Amino acid sequence: MEKCDIKGFKQFPLSLILEELEKASRNFQKYSDCLYKVKDIISSKFEQIKANIQNKTNPEKKRIVDEISSILDFLPKEYEASAKNLIKEIVKSYKENKKDTRGRIDALASNQEISDICKMINSLKKDGSNSDYAYAKNKLRDALYLIKGEINLAMHRKDLDIVFNKARVLKLKENLDSVLKESDGILTEIYDSITKLIKKALNILLNIEHKEDSAEIIEAFKIYSITMDFKIDCEKENMLSNMFGINNTIESMQASIIAFYEKLDNSYMEYKPPKNTIKCSTILNKIKQWDDFLQIFKEYQNHHPRFDILKIRGIRRYADFADDLNQTLYDFYDYILNFRIQNDEIKHPKLLEDRINNIKEKWDQIKSFEGVKIHLNSNIVNLKEIQSDVIKSISDEMYRIVEDASNLIKKDDIRKEDFNQIQIYYNCLTHFEANLSIKGFAFNNTLRMIEDKIYEKTLELKEKAEKGEGASEIVESMIGMKNISNNFSLLKKRLDSILDEFLETFRKKNKTIAVAILEELEKHPSGLGLCIITEHKFFEGVMQRLWLKKTQEHGIDYALEHIQGSNLNIEELNNNYLAYIEKLGEIQKIYLRLTSNEGVNTAIAQIVSEIQVLSKKYTKDCRNPNISLIKTYIPELLAYIAWLWVLLNIKKYNQDVNDEDSQIAFVTPHAIQVLSIFRMLGIGYNENTNPGNNLVQILTGEGKSITLAFLSSILALLGFDINCACYSEHLSKRDSQDFQPLYTALSICSYIKYGTFNQLCEDEINSKGDIREIVLDFIRFGRIPKISYRDNERPKILLIDEVDVFFTKSFYGNIYRPLAKLKDPTISNLTDYIWKYRKTPKLFEWLDSNEYNQCCQKFPGFEFLIEEAVKDMITHVRQFESHGYIVKNDKICYKENDGILSNIVYGYSTLFAYYLENEKGNISQDSLKENIFIGIKCGMFSFAEIPHKYKYIMGVTGTLEDLGDYEKNIIENEYRIKLKTLMPSVFGESNRKFCTNEDIYVENKDNYYNKILEQINIRIEGKKPPCKRAVLVFFEEEAKLIHFYNNSNLKNTDYDIQLMTESLSVEDRGMMIKKATVPNTVSLLTRAYGRGIDFKCYNHEVETNGGVHVIQVFLSENVSEETQIKGRSARQGQEGSYSMILLDDDLEKFQIMKEDIEEMKKNKTGIYESLNSKRNNFNQIKNANESNHVKQSKSFHDETTKFLIWIECRNFKGSKAFLQELNKGPSINLGISKAIVLMDATGSMSHLLQNAKNTVKIMFWRMCAVLSNTGINPECFQLQYCVYRNYSSTEDKILQVSPWTNNPDILERFMANVQPEGGWGNEAIEVGLWHVNNVLKNDTISQVILIGDMPPNTVDDIQEKRGKYISYWNQSKFRAVEHYKQELATIIDKKVPINAFYVKTYAKEAFEEIAALTKGQSGFLDINSISGADRLTDLVSTEILRKVAGEEAVNLYKEMYPPSYT
């Protein structure tokens, strides 16, 4: 019994046992003990249960109750009550325990202690408390639903703390899954709600660029940051590795935020004052608006390891921009405050102009800060005080200049350096007056102060001369007056008039001393005496006498002995010359007498009458003028014209033929000029020679102008129309004006036209009416005006001045593209629409716009032109900002060669540049309005075809014998100019010293400038020290000239230095040309001054000490240009010398490599011959490729000629079809294939760049033809040409980019302005790749075609090269350019193949690597061969076709256009 539990009592009949033991105990003691023991066991069992009941679980209590209840029937009566009481106690305890359990469950559920509820449920399950277990599960379920509801409510209320506090339940997912199946659905709903919340927030952050409200972004970032904290906490507990599935989105969001702030930074840099203060202020307002979020964003980086910390730390806050703004303003302010005119860097007109333009620019920049002053730190910056300080600083400096200049002018003995300083001061004030307007300060007052002092000094010298008693005293005063005149170009005319007044007065009062003064002037050591004689009409007779003296030293015998030419008949030349001289002598006697008796006007009238009678005799005999029939009239007619010229000069200079003291010398053509005229008119040829097209070489400075003038006069009189074509507009105008009196007297002005090649070609093209106006009338009114024809049209002759210029890129092979400007209010409305909606989808709804339809209604029948123009506009408006332009004088201008031109139109990119700059406030509304038009292309005329329209072509040149085989072949075979004559110099053999083995130096870049300066130092020394010479140094372009001046030690010498570029004013140019031949003067000049400029040397010291020395510091492409530059020294029989200093890097253009140069230097002899040989090879390749371009140009010309015929015939249909085809706009399909052609444009890549320009049209034609044959729209592709150089180039030259286009004209025009220059070992390919990446940010590219001859810069290269100009490049748009492999990363990621073609094997490894990394192809391109143009055409065409249309199109291309090379 002791060993069994209570339920075991059922085994024993306890009542019977106790009853029997009770009975037995009465008799037996042992039974009594047993009875008590049994009772004790029963009692102890109940007591034991009672004692332990509190430690029992309810299921156990229930079991015990059940057990006790089951034995009640077996218990003795005395135990029933105890047992029942025990049951009651247990039941009571059970109920209390159950209540307590439910209470704890309720409390845990109420407190949302989910983890504890789960534990309790597990415990209840383990204990078997089924009802409590079920109750607890229900309560858990209720708690989860409550949490879910609270999360949703908190989300609605944006109470993120509650959301993510409740969301901790997600951490218990595993526990919940084990106790409550329904929890998975609830948790999923909670998880999805939070995921939706965070993704919505991330989406907002991803689109930060398009958000206006920073509060929305801050709220979204708060959601993000709390989510991330929760996410990280979960991940630490080994929960989901990508909770909410947002890892990738997080990285994109981070990139978007960084890009957003970088874009704001870039926009600030783009528009920061003075560029566009209105937009800058808008940007700064936005930066300020987003500054709070940036602070939150940057602070969060400190505890978030996923963020790009370096990039985030680099993002500038609003305060940083304000500081930058303040500093920029103070930089401008300090620049002006530190301006002092005596600084050496501004002692020359070009640099002075640049410096004052900088002052103007800085002043304008300071004023521009008005637009952003709310962003300036007012505690540091007071804009009004700064402006006031600037005005006072400039005013003080200007008045100091006036005072210093006045003190110098007052000096009795004004030295050369004094004049230089006064001139600097004067030029400074002049430039300030012209370029700078400051309210409250009048620069013209200070300028007038100096001018008054100059005039006073000149009048003082005049008075002194008038009072002078001896010739020496008078001459010194005259020299002083001339010295002042020569040093003030803008005052020269007025100052010279004071000297003229003195000379006229002197003529009347002091005739006896005139000869002595003349002698003093001629021998004055300054050379100013000869300058006075040359420039003042008082001494015209003297100049004529001097000229005659020089030109008659070598007469007809010398000329006939040394003349060379085709089919020479010396006897005929001599006989005709003698006939001319005889007739001239007769005329002189007759007309001197007539002039003396009846006056010069009568003599002129009489001789003109004689000439007209003689010319009419010929024209009567020959109604169809022909050169072969006129030569018998020539000697007599030339003699009359020559004497007419004499009479006209007598009249011009008011000379008195009766005055015995007159210095008149009757200037008539010298022997060389007469023979030249004879040869061009068919005299002096052997029998059976058919005279006609003819060229004559007359050396520079020996009278080409008068030769052409007399020749033109003869031909015009005999029935021809003459076009005199010259390369220089300045020289053309000069000659036209000089000989106008002759043409007027002979009544032949209407038959003779002077102009540049381009001007005369345009006249010829528009001879039957202005093609532009004809086209505009056709479009506006639907009619073609009747073409007017001249009655009795005369045969035309083209006279060429300097025939070698005929072959320059601006003429031969060039195309004239007349553009008609169609203007109308409806067009303005249409362009306004395109500009307004340029960045919105509405731009592409133009077909349905009122503006477009109204424009079409205005020009019925020509809607196609409007449609094509709009396509073109849309293409340009999306990319126009990438084309380089300059705003100047309220115009959009472009740098072309060394000039800045405003008459260039770069498609519609120019139009939208006007719109943009108008918005910025840099272009006026009037200027914008003037430049709104639709450009209608009216044709494509080849200049090379124009000469064929002339009956005869004649010309004179100084370099006929220097023409290359290519030029000679064109002259002889294309233009049928078979007859040539080489005239000897009228001054005899040249006195120029040039040794081809000793006077040529090839240097590396480290020694190049030193060698130039060394040669200047050596050559400026005269034969007799301390006498000095003058040195002219010719540079290839202005940029190189300025760079040499700024980076050499030249300005530290005591030489008088002049910088002469095309940008000089006419007045400054004339003044500096005169000063260039003065002793101790060094003139740095651009190549344009090497032709047609007469550097007359009047200085005895220079003339007798070796003359002027010329240094050419570049190798000309053509020998003719080199000859012209040489010809600036040793002119007209004077002494002179020439040398050449070349930079080895520049010679790469001619494929002259470093090893070639070393070989030349080793041989020591034949350097010039080697250079010339390489140059000839270069030209052979260039000319072969150019020939193809000329042929291509002819096809355009022929098509346009048909159009002109249709216009004449009033063929409406044909004319419309032509205009439609010519004005076809690009496709604006956004899905087109785009390719970038990325080319090296350094010095060695000349052939590549020339071929890229020449081949672009044929390339497009071929690709379009192939695509059409394969059934693909030919407008499915666009190209962009990009050229790269290196860090030695400027920001605008290191990378040049064309617009995207499928119009070859645009690419051709772009390439026409790209010149090979620079180079520095490995090249900056990384800059080109950087551009590709920039395009890829907003666009797609199908491929890149890379062409170059050098590998990309290494990391060390970039550091070294940029390091030399570190501040410059850090301020440039290329400041973020990285090593090429880093730039390639994005291109690789975007899957853009780079097809890399190397021109030299040195680049092979790098180019193959680039191609392999981008899955492109690589190969060798033999661009430097005669077939280079064809190879380039085939390469680019096939690569484009391969990408657009596949191998089938490539094979078709090869079939249609088989290569001519192997």
Side-chain angles (χ1 to χ4, degrees), residues 915-1051:
Y915 268 100
L916 179 63
E917 296 304 327
N918 173 256
E919 273 193 2
K920 292 181 180 180
N922 299 327
I923 288 288
S924 70
Q925 192 64 30
D926 287 343
S927 182
L928 170 61
K929 186 178 178 181
E930 177 64 25
N931 286 279
I932 294 176
F933 57 83
I934 287 179
I936 308 296
K937 300 168 191 168
C938 304
M940 299 173 69
F941 299 91
S942 171
F943 283 141
E945 294 301 308
I946 301 301
H948 292 299
K949 292 182 172 290
Y950 291 88
K951 185 174 181 66
Y952 298 110
I953 303 172
M954 303 177 185
V956 293
T957 179
T959 54
L960 184 58
E961 61 186 332
D962 294 319
L963 294 178
D965 293 339
Y966 173 70
E967 289 87 357
K968 290 176 182 176
N969 178 60
I970 292 170
I971 286 172
E972 292 178 7
N973 298 318
E974 184 171 342
Y975 295 126
R976 308 178 311 282
I977 306 175
K978 305 290 186 180
L979 305 178
K980 303 183 187 72
T981 307
L982 304 180
M983 304 303 300
S985 171
V986 71
F987 304 107
E989 293 295 325
S990 172
N991 290 317
R992 182 185 305 111
K993 293 182 178 179
F994 170 54
C995 178
T996 56
N997 290 328
E998 297 177 5
D999 291 329
I1000 298 177
Y1001 308 89
V1002 182
E1003 305 293 334
N1004 60 36
K1005 62 186 176 186
D1006 294 328
N1007 201 43
Y1008 179 53
Y1009 285 175
N1010 293 334
K1011 178 58 74 172
I1012 295 173
L1013 184 56
E1014 175 191 291
Q1015 276 292 293
I1016 291 172
N1017 293 336
I1018 293 171
R1019 302 291 186 167
I1020 206 165
E1021 295 296 330
K1023 295 177 182 177
K1024 304 171 186 176
C1027 294
K1028 300 290 186 181
R1029 302 169 69 191
V1031 176
L1032 310 179
V1033 186
F1034 286 90
F1035 289 82
E1036 190 170 15
E1037 59 184 39
E1038 180 179 337
K1040 293 180 179 180
L1041 183 157
I1042 299 297
H1043 194 268
F1044 168 75
Y1045 178 75
N1046 287 331
N1047 293 279
S1048 70
N1049 289 319
L1050 178 64
K1051 55 188 172 185

Side-chain angles (χ1 to χ4, degrees), residues 57-279:
T57 64
N58 271 12
E60 289 175 328
K61 288 178 181 179
K62 185 176 182 304
R63 178 179 54 77
I64 292 171
V65 168
D66 290 341
E67 288 177 353
I68 294 173
S69 297
S70 69
I71 66 169
L72 282 176
D73 293 338
F74 299 96
L75 287 176
K77 294 292 184 181
E78 64 184 283
Y79 290 102
E80 276 186 23
S82 296
K84 287 180 178 179
N85 287 334
L86 180 58
I87 287 173
K88 286 180 181 179
E89 287 183 24
I90 293 172
V91 168
K92 180 182 178 182
S93 174
Y94 175 88
K95 288 181 178 180
E96 288 175 351
N97 194 27
K98 190 174 190 69
K99 181 180 180 181
D100 181 60
T101 298
R102 297 286 175 96
R104 283 191 292 118
I105 291 172
D106 289 345
L108 291 173
S110 176
N111 294 327
Q112 297 178 353
E113 300 289 344
I114 305 301
S115 178
D116 290 340
I117 295 177
C118 290
K119 291 177 182 177
M120 194 167 185
I121 289 173
N122 286 327
S123 176
L124 290 171
K125 182 179 181 181
K126 183 179 179 182
D127 293 343
S129 302
N130 292 336
S131 63
D132 288 340
Y133 171 72
Y135 181 82
K137 286 179 67 175
N138 288 334
K139 285 295 183 179
L140 175 61
R141 185 183 300 108
D142 293 343
L144 290 176
Y145 276 118
L146 182 62
I147 289 171
K148 172 190 163 187
E150 289 176 345
I151 286 175
N152 289 337
L153 182 61
M155 284 184 183
H156 179 70
R157 293 175 177 173
K158 299 183 179 179
D159 192 338
L160 300 178
D161 290 334
I162 290 178
V163 170
F164 286 97
N165 183 48
K166 302 295 181 182
R168 286 180 298 176
V169 69
L170 295 174
K171 299 180 182 180
L172 304 175
K173 179 173 173 30
E174 290 184 8
N175 292 339
L176 286 168
D177 286 346
S178 67
V179 299
L180 187 67
K181 290 182 179 179
E182 300 96 310
S183 69
D184 184 58
I186 300 169
L187 292 180
T188 299
E189 289 180 17
I190 293 172
Y191 182 85
D192 289 347
S193 296
I194 295 176
T195 301
K196 185 177 179 181
L197 175 70
I198 181 58
K199 286 189 174 180
K200 181 180 178 182
L202 284 173
N203 188 55
I204 291 171
L205 294 170
L206 275 168
N207 291 281
I208 184 172
E209 183 177 351
H210 306 293
K211 300 296 180 182
E212 297 296 330
D213 185 8
S214 60
E216 182 184 9
I217 294 293
I218 291 173
E219 183 64 31
F221 193 79
K222 182 180 179 183
I223 294 170
Y224 165 76
S225 60
I226 293 176
T227 305
M228 286 301 296
D229 290 341
F230 178 78
K231 183 175 182 294
I232 291 169
D233 191 38
C234 290
E235 290 172 352
K236 283 180 180 176
E237 297 182 19
N238 296 319
M239 297 189 68
L240 293 174
S241 60
N242 185 16
M243 197 171 191
F244 308 122
I246 57 174
N247 283 359
N248 292 336
T249 312
I250 289 171
E251 292 186 8
S252 299
M253 176 274 296
Q254 170 199 339
S256 293
I257 294 174
I258 292 173
F260 170 70
Y261 282 102
E262 285 180 345
K263 185 174 181 180
L264 285 177
D265 197 313
N266 290 335
S267 296
Y268 166 78
M269 294 300 293
E270 180 180 358
Y271 297 118
K272 73 183 275 191
K275 297 173 185 174
N276 189 333
T277 53
I278 296 173
K279 284 201 172 182

Side-chain angles (χ1 to χ4, degrees), residues 879-909:
Q879 57 201 18
F880 76 95
E881 290 181 79
S882 66
H883 90 291
Y885 63 86
I886 299 165
V887 180
K888 187 175 182 180
N889 299 329
D890 206 24
K891 298 280 187 184
I892 297 297
C893 304
Y894 298 91
K895 288 185 72 174
E896 191 158 284
N897 298 324
D898 283 341
I900 296 175
L901 304 179
S902 63
N903 59 348
I904 293 176
V905 176
Y906 219 125
Y908 290 109
S909 289

Side-chain angles (χ1 to χ4, degrees), residues 1370-1388:
N1370 285 347
Q1371 292 295 316
S1372 76
K1373 63 183 176 184
F1374 302 109
R1375 57 188 178 276
V1377 172
E1378 298 180 300
H1379 181 243
Y1380 81 95
K1381 286 191 177 179
Q1382 293 169 294
E1383 296 292 348
L1384 277 175
T1386 302
I1387 298 172
I1388 294 169

Side-chain angles (χ1 to χ4, degrees), residues 590-604 643 647 650 655 657-658:
I590 295 169
Y591 282 95
L592 273 179
R593 189 182 310 114
L594 183 61
T595 304
S596 176
N597 295 335
E598 300 187 28
V600 69
N601 288 333
T602 301
I604 290 173
W643 197 256
L647 294 175
I650 289 173
Q655 295 167 333
V657 295
N658 296 314

